[in-house]
Amino acid sequence: DHRLTVAARLTRWDGPPPTRAEIEERLQTEEVGWSAWGNGPHDRYDWHEHSYRDVVWCVAGSITFHTHDGDRELHPGDCLELDPGTPHAASVGPDGVECFEVRE
């Protein structure tokens, strides 16, 4: 097996999910550049990887990121960090998804 070690870390939100405004405020406080995106129900992203560290915050709905080491399902407030070069695909949940993304 020639797969690279996957560096995908999921942080679950503890407690009631934060609002879109609370996540946005946190990102502004950290003074990082970020963007917002969303997809409709059951949309999919094929396997790919990035040359940068990718941090995705789920704001609404759900999305499952598929990695060679298993799936990571995000719900509102959850955050996934993908190191550069980590192969991944994604499947959007039945209610669509809204996310904030930081590219480092």
Side-chain angles (χ1 to χ4, degrees), residues 37-103:
W37 55 268
N39 289 95
H42 306 292
D43 279 350
R44 298 185 57 83
Y45 288 92
D46 289 331
W47 285 93
H48 65 284
E49 57 189 67
H50 305 287
S51 61
Y52 50 84
R53 182 172 171 261
D54 198 15
V55 180
V56 178
W57 286 85
C58 182
V59 177
S62 63
I63 187 168
T64 301
F65 283 83
H66 311 287
T67 72
H68 293 302
D69 286 347
D71 293 345
R72 277 118 173 132
E73 186 172 353
L74 279 71
H75 296 277
D78 294 343
C79 177
L80 180 68
E81 299 175 58
L82 295 166
D83 283 346
T86 301
H88 61 284
S91 303
V92 177
D95 297 322
V97 70
E98 292 180 39
C99 293
F100 289 155
E101 182 174 19
V102 177
R103 296 176 178 185

Side-chain angles (χ1 to χ4, degrees), residues 10-46:
L10 175 62
T11 303
R12 295 245 181 247
W13 189 263
D14 187 23
T19 65
R20 177 185 191 94
E22 289 170 330
I23 296 172
E24 190 171 346
E25 181 179 329
R26 179 175 179 169
L27 290 172
Q28 289 174 344
T29 300
E30 293 176 4
E31 297 182 358
V32 295
W34 56 275
S35 61
W37 55 268
N39 289 95
H42 306 292
D43 279 350
R44 298 185 57 83
Y45 288 92
D46 289 331

